[in-house]
Amino acid sequence: MNHEQTKETSKNKRVLNINAFVLLFSIIVIAAALTHFLPAGEYERIEENGRTLVVPGSFQYTESSPVGFLDIFSNIHIGMINGAGIIFFVLIVGGAFGILKFTGALDAFIITITKKLGNRELLLIPVLMLFFAVAGALMGLAEETIVYIAIIAPLAVSLKLDAIVGYAIVSLGAGVGFMAAVLNPFTVGVAQSIAELPTFSGIGLRIALFFVLYLAAVLYVWRYAKKVKANPSIRFLGHFTNEDEAKINTDVILTFRHKIILILFLLNFVALIFGVIKYGWYITEIAGLFLLFGILFGIVGKLSPSQIADSFIDGAKDLVGGALIIGFAQAILVVIQDGKLIDTILFSASTLLSQLSPFFTAIGMFFLQLFLNFLVPSGSGQAALTMPIMAPLADLVGITRQTTVLAYQLGDGISNSLFPTSGVLLAGLAVAGIPFTKWIKWVMPFIIIQIIISIIFLIIAQAIQYGPF
C-alpha cells in the first residue's frame, strides 16, 4: 500500500512540475498543426495615434498558410528576436536588482526594523508586510522572497507566532504588491509595452488597488496571528521545532551606506515616474535608468567593479528562465501569425464575447489569465503570450486596453499564491516547512477575497473607461 502511495505521489509531482518550456513548445507544435486545419483570415489594420488598431467589421477569410515542420524550430529563433527588446529589459532590470541585493541594504533594513520592534511581535505584520508589498509593487519581488522566508519564518516561531505567519508576511506581502504592480517592470511594464500603452500609465487606480490589497492581507494574517496568540495549540511550527533556534543576527546593522543605497533606490523610482510622465520614457530608457542606478548602488556599497559585474550577472541569471519564456511565447505568436490564424481567433472570440456585457467580458479575461498562469507561471512570459491577442480583442469588444492589462495583472498575481506550477511557491513552502495542502487550506479564503476585490476593480475600470485607451 505504501509503495503504491509513493508511486502515485511521485507521478503527481512529475505532472505538477512539468517544465514551462515543454508546455510552450507543445503549444507551438499544436498551433503549427492547427494552421493546416483552421481557416485563415485577416482584419484590416490602421495606425492611429501611434498604435495599431483592428478595423471592426473588416474580417475576411483568406487562403490558408500552413506552417511547415522545420518552421516550428526556426520560428522559436524568430520569436526570440521579436521579443529581444523585452527580454533584455527584463535581464537588465534583474541585474540592477542583483547589485542592490548584493549590497546587503535590504537585508539590513529588515533586520533593523525587526530588532526595533522588539517584543511587539504583532506590529511586525503590518510593518514588514508593507516593506514586502512595496518591493513587490515596485521591483516585482518574487524569487528573492525565498531568502527572506528563511529569515522571517523562524523569527515568527521564536516570537510565539508560527511558521505560517512568518511565511505569509513575506509571501502574501510581496504577492499583493506584485498583484497591484504599481510600477512592476516585469508585469505591467511588459504588458503595457505590448499593448502599445504609455509605460506605467493608469497608475492612480493601481495605487488604490495596492492599498486595498495590502490592508486585506494585513487583516487576514493579523486575525490568524491573534488566534495563535490566544490558542498556542493551533500553532504550526514547520521545520522550526526549537523556538530558540531563530535568533536575530545583532551584528547586522543598517549602516550609513545602506541608508544612502535605500534613498537611491527610492530616487530611482522618482526619476522613473518623472521620466515617464515628462518625457514619455519607454522600456529602453527605463532599462538604462535601472542600469545607471544599479551601478550607483554598487559604488555607494563599496563594491569593486568586478563585484558589481558579478552581482549584475547573478541578478540577471535569476531571470534568464522568465526571459527565455518570453521568446517562446513570442514564437507561438509568430506561428499563428504566419498561419494567419490570429485574426481568425480574434474574430471568433469577438463574435462570442460581443453577446456579453463588457463588464462580464473583462471579468472573463481576468479568470482566463488566472488559469493560464497554471501553464505559464512567468508573469512577463504570460504577458508576452496573451497580450498580443487580448489588446486588439479589447478594441473589438468595447473594453479599454488598460482594463485588459489590469485583468492580466490581477489574474497573474493571484495565481502565484495558488498553483503548484509556481516554483517560487513550492520552494518558499519548503523553506518554511509548510505542506502545500496545508497552505492551500489556509490561504483559500484570502484567494476568494482577492478575487472579489479584483472583480470590483475591474467593474470600476470598465465603468470609468480606465485609460488612456
Side-chain angles (χ1 to χ4, degrees):
M1 182 67 176
N2 289 338
H3 178 65
E4 290 299 321
Q5 290 177 338
T6 302
K7 283 174 62 179
E8 186 65 26
T9 301
S10 176
K11 179 181 177 182
N12 289 338
K13 187 175 180 181
R14 285 197 301 270
V15 171
L16 292 176
N17 291 340
I18 185 168
N19 191 285
F21 289 96
V22 175
L23 287 168
L24 288 174
F25 183 75
S26 300
I27 295 172
I28 292 171
V29 173
I30 292 170
L34 290 176
T35 64
H36 293 263
F37 302 104
L38 294 182
E42 286 182 329
Y43 276 105
E44 291 180 22
R45 285 171 167 78
I46 58 172
E47 294 289 329
E48 185 176 295
N49 299 323
R51 58 194 174 110
T52 305
L53 297 177
V54 172
V55 178
S58 64
F59 178 81
Q60 289 184 340
Y61 288 107
T62 63
E63 185 179 349
S64 64
S65 178
V67 173
F69 177 74
L70 291 179
D71 292 332
I72 292 172
F73 302 92
S74 60
N75 281 343
I76 292 175
H77 179 252
I78 296 172
M80 294 288 179
I81 294 172
N82 291 351
I86 298 172
I87 290 171
F88 285 106
F89 169 75
V90 168
L91 293 177
I92 289 172
V93 174
F97 286 142
I99 299 171
L100 174 65
K101 182 180 176 183
F102 191 81
T103 64
L106 292 179
D107 291 9
F109 180 71
I110 291 173
I111 292 174
T112 299
I113 287 176
T114 304
K115 287 191 293 185
K116 286 187 175 182
L117 288 175
N119 293 324
R120 293 168 292 177
E121 59 273 5
L122 288 181
L123 287 179
L124 282 173
I125 296 171
V127 173
L128 288 181
M129 286 188 80
L130 180 60
F131 168 79
F132 289 116
V134 169
L138 298 185
M139 58 184 278
L141 190 74
E143 289 83 358
E144 299 83 359
T145 57
I146 297 169
V147 175
Y148 299 115
I149 289 166
I151 299 172
I152 305 300
L155 174 65
V157 171
S158 72
L159 294 175
K160 309 297 183 183
L161 297 170
D162 71 356
I164 292 177
V165 172
Y167 176 81
I169 286 173
V170 181
S171 179
L172 291 189
V176 296
F178 194 95
M179 182 176 169
V182 177
L183 291 172
N184 186 340
F186 306 116
T187 55
V188 165
V190 172
Q192 287 184 332
S193 70
I194 296 172
E196 299 178 312
L197 286 160
T199 307
F200 298 128
S201 55
I203 192 172
L205 189 65
R206 293 200 300 279
I207 290 174
L209 174 65
F210 173 86
F211 283 109
V212 171
L213 289 171
Y214 164 72
L215 289 174
V218 167
L219 290 174
Y220 190 79
V221 178
W222 182 286
R223 182 170 174 270
Y224 174 74
K226 291 279 285 184
K227 287 182 179 179
V228 168
K229 296 291 285 185
N231 182 13
S233 66
I234 68 172
R235 295 173 72 205
F236 182 80
L237 303 182
H239 292 318
F240 314 106
T241 54
N242 181 4
E243 296 180 7
D244 295 324
E245 68 184 25
K247 298 294 183 183
I248 299 173
N249 183 2
T250 54
D251 295 332
V252 176
I253 59 173
L254 188 66
T255 66
F256 179 73
R257 289 185 184 278
H258 288 152
K259 293 176 183 177
I260 296 298
I261 290 169
L262 292 172
I263 291 171
L264 283 173
F265 175 66
L266 292 178
L267 284 177
N268 177 38
F269 287 97
V270 172
L272 189 156
I273 294 171
F274 178 78
V276 166
I277 294 174
K278 179 74 174 177
Y279 299 108
W281 284 359
Y282 205 49
I283 60 174
T284 298
E285 293 82 5
I286 294 171
L289 181 72
F290 273 100
L291 180 58
L292 169 62
F293 272 89
I295 294 171
L296 291 177
F297 298 150
I299 292 172
V300 175
K302 293 189 73 173
L303 305 185
S304 70
S306 293
Q307 286 176 317
I308 292 174
D310 288 341
S311 55
F312 178 88
I313 292 170
D314 287 340
K317 190 188 303 179
D318 291 338
L319 295 176
V320 165
L324 290 176
I325 282 177
I326 294 172
F328 268 69
Q330 287 288 310
I332 298 171
L333 183 62
V334 172
V335 169
I336 61 176
Q337 282 179 334
D338 286 355
K340 298 182 179 179
L341 291 186
I342 190 166
D343 285 1
T344 301
I345 294 170
L346 285 174
F347 175 71
S348 300
S350 64
T351 301
L352 177 65
L353 294 176
S354 62
Q355 310 301 317
L356 301 175
S357 160
F359 292 96
F360 288 109
T361 303
I363 294 168
M365 285 183 172
F366 158 69
F367 280 107
L368 175 63
Q369 296 284 5
L370 195 160
F371 290 111
L372 275 176
N373 196 255
F374 182 87
L375 300 175
V376 187
S378 164
S380 52
Q382 186 174 335
L385 176 64
T386 61
M387 292 314 298
I389 295 176
M390 292 297 181
L393 178 60
D395 297 335
L396 292 170
V397 297
I399 298 173
T400 66
R401 293 191 177 193
Q402 196 74 270
T403 301
T404 304
V405 171
L406 180 65
Y408 147 75
Q409 75 185 64
L410 291 170
D412 172 67
I414 290 178
S415 52
N416 290 329
S417 299
L418 180 63
F419 292 140
T421 47
S422 170
V424 176
L425 173 61
L426 295 182
L429 290 172
V431 168
I434 302 171
F436 175 73
T437 51
K438 186 170 186 67
W439 167 252
I440 290 298
K441 182 179 178 181
W442 185 87
V443 82
M444 189 53 70
F446 184 67
I447 296 292
I448 295 171
I449 291 170
Q450 286 180 302
I451 290 173
I452 293 171
I453 292 172
S454 297
I455 291 173
I456 291 171
F457 269 83
L458 285 168
I459 291 173
I460 293 171
Q462 180 59 27
I464 64 174
Q465 286 295 290
Y466 184 35
F469 51 81

